[in-house]
Amino acid sequence: MMTSVLKRGLIAALLALGFAGTAEAHLAPRTLGVVRYDAGARPQLLLTTYGLVLREDEVWRYVCPVRHGGPDTPPAIAADDRTWLVTIDGAQLFEPDLTPLTDKFGDVTVVALPELAVLPEGAFALVLEGKGSALYRLREEGPERIFADRDPWQDLIATDDGLLLARTTTASVVEFTELDVAGTVTSTYGVPRLAWEVSLHASPDGARFAVATDAVSSVVMERVGGVMEIVFETPGIVGAVTRLDGRMFVSIDSALHVVNEGVATPTGDDRQVTCFGHGPAGAYACSNLQVFAMADDGALGEPVFLMPWVESPSVEGLTTDQAATCDFQWNDLRTEAGLTEPMPEPMVSEPSGGCTTAGRPSFGAALAIVLLGVGIRSSSWRRRRRRRVCPCVSSRRPCASPSGSRSARRPRS
């Protein structure tokens, strides 16, 4: 396995240096979704598998995770016209008008990326701490810890009257706990079901769904009367679920289906769907790092976002190592989107030395970048092995959107 990891790291490094290579196959993106809209209800900030994509002055640009404490993309959510990012270092506000990002507020020690939820009372983050979980309310003066459990929870979502946590257990039960905004538990219940993975999803009509899978089959549960009830089962893997105009739509093995009286029928669209979301402009569906408007009948319409629209990231103010990391992440994102041609190498500025380098690196520099790529890819592989059993916020990814789900999964026993 380590040989495979080293090989993938070398391939990524060679691609970043502009050498010819064979693009490795990537699984569907785990995280993708619109995080922020502008005043005209147009997408302004998107969350992707390998970083944020920001539109400023009609130009889309990739924002490297190294600028906000990467290496992977943290969950992000808009709340009260603000966008929170939460990394393993803590919480910070993302302000598109500010470069660099604002300072972090009140570091939180976590061992996995958290799930985020938003209510009128503010944004909340569920993080894995040691072997357990903690729930924080995000505030500018510092995150406030309002709930803790010695066992880990897997997902978090906002409801009309509070917060909903979900997890699987070794007793073949999918367990749910509901809390108010102060962190007080209002109810706890379980649905008997063998599952390795559970994710929570929201639809435009206010419905809340849970998807549980054992990596072979899936069940969809809907919150009815304050508790989750199974409403659909399938031998496939459900990656996302939503409801539009009274009809349930699910992504089964990345294919779009409509569910009627418990029977799932393919819609006929041949695009792979990895997440659903909604915002001021209506519902949307994600497809291989692309976002399309979604009509009430499930038809995918005009593109809301396409990867070819995105320009190369700026490396201004980054060190040589940070710029190399940014370049690897940018090429990872392009490879996942199917855009595998080599990208022009960025101009790298050294703040301390004042010199600028351009063109092909020397052999020594190339070797250093290759070794860096090996480390980055190896670290990324280990994190992904811990955090997921199957691919997607994406939606579950799951997707990261103001009302969609995000994914950061705990390891399976």
Side-chain angles (χ1 to χ4, degrees), residues 106-128:
D107 289 354
V108 178
T109 302
V110 299
V111 295
L113 296 181
E115 306 296 334
L116 293 172
V118 63
L119 285 165
E121 292 81 4
F124 297 80
L126 171 69
V127 305
L128 298 181

Side-chain angles (χ1 to χ4, degrees), residues 159-232:
T159 64
D160 291 338
D161 50 5
L163 298 158
L164 174 65
L165 304 179
R167 66 183 171 193
T168 60
T169 73
T170 56
S172 299
V173 173
V174 181
E175 187 176 357
F176 301 93
T177 282
E178 308 219 8
L179 309 92
D180 60 24
V181 294
T184 302
V185 175
T186 57
S187 68
T188 297
Y189 54 93
V191 177
R193 193 74 189 189
L194 173 64
W196 294 357
E197 179 93 358
V198 62
S199 58
L200 298 171
H201 307 259
S203 66
D205 63 1
R208 296 295 184 267
F209 297 97
V211 174
T213 178
D214 58 7
V216 176
S217 61
S218 301
V219 296
V220 176
M221 293 169 266
E222 182 178 358
R223 186 173 181 265
V224 180
V227 297
M228 284 289 181
E229 299 179 357
I230 295 177
V231 295
F232 174 67

Side-chain angles (χ1 to χ4, degrees), residues 127-369:
V127 305
L128 298 181
E129 289 189 332
K131 296 182 179 179
S133 297
L135 182 64
Y136 287 86
R137 181 172 182 171
L138 302 181
R139 305 176 305 167
E140 290 194 19
E141 59 270 29
E144 176 188 8
R145 197 168 188 255
I146 63 173
F147 172 81
D149 193 324
R150 63 182 181 181
D151 295 320
W153 290 88
Q154 293 173 249
D155 210 348
L156 167 72
I157 200 170
T159 64
D160 291 338
D161 50 5
L163 298 158
L164 174 65
L165 304 179
R167 66 183 171 193
T168 60
T169 73
T170 56
S172 299
V173 173
V174 181
E175 187 176 357
F176 301 93
T177 282
E178 308 219 8
L179 309 92
D180 60 24
V181 294
T184 302
V185 175
T186 57
S187 68
T188 297
Y189 54 93
V191 177
R193 193 74 189 189
L194 173 64
W196 294 357
E197 179 93 358
V198 62
S199 58
L200 298 171
H201 307 259
S203 66
D205 63 1
R208 296 295 184 267
F209 297 97
V211 174
T213 178
D214 58 7
V216 176
S217 61
S218 301
V219 296
V220 176
M221 293 169 266
E222 182 178 358
R223 186 173 181 265
V224 180
V227 297
M228 284 289 181
E229 299 179 357
I230 295 177
V231 295
F232 174 67
E233 300 187 40
T234 176
I237 301 301
V238 174
V241 58
T242 191
R243 190 166 63 203
L244 301 173
D245 196 26
R247 288 185 293 181
M248 182 187 300
F249 293 90
V250 294
S251 167
I252 304 177
D253 296 330
S254 298
L256 183 58
H257 291 69
V258 59
V259 177
N260 184 26
E261 296 183 354
V263 177
T265 304
T267 63
D269 196 298
D270 59 359
R271 283 167 285 194
Q272 290 188 330
V273 173
T274 53
C275 85
F276 299 119
H278 58 276
Y284 63 81
C286 315
S287 177
N288 192 28
L289 291 174
Q290 303 177 102
V291 181
F292 296 92
M294 187 174 181
D296 287 346
D297 62 0
L300 302 189
E302 293 297 316
V304 174
F305 169 80
L306 301 176
M307 267 300 296
W309 297 350
V310 184
E311 296 189 0
S312 302
S314 168
V315 295
E316 181 180 356
L318 299 181
T319 66
T320 301
D321 288 346
Q322 289 174 332
T325 300
C326 179
D327 194 38
F328 287 131
Q329 293 165 333
W330 170 234
N331 277 280
D332 270 342
L333 183 65
R334 289 178 54 81
T335 300
E336 184 161 340
L339 306 175
T340 57
E341 67 273 15
M343 290 296 296
E345 295 170 14
M347 299 292 290
V348 181
S349 299
E350 280 288 359
S352 57
C355 61
T356 300
T357 61
R360 182 73 58 201
S362 65
F363 176 80
L367 179 60
I369 294 176

Side-chain angles (χ1 to χ4, degrees), residues 4-44:
S4 175
V5 172
L6 293 174
K7 180 179 179 181
R8 298 195 328 179
L10 289 170
I11 290 174
L14 291 175
L15 284 176
L17 290 171
F19 296 120
T22 301
E24 67 170 309
H26 282 259
L27 298 173
R30 296 181 67 242
T31 55
L32 175 67
V34 181
V35 174
R36 171 178 279 180
Y37 294 82
D38 64 13
R42 299 178 304 170
Q44 183 185 42

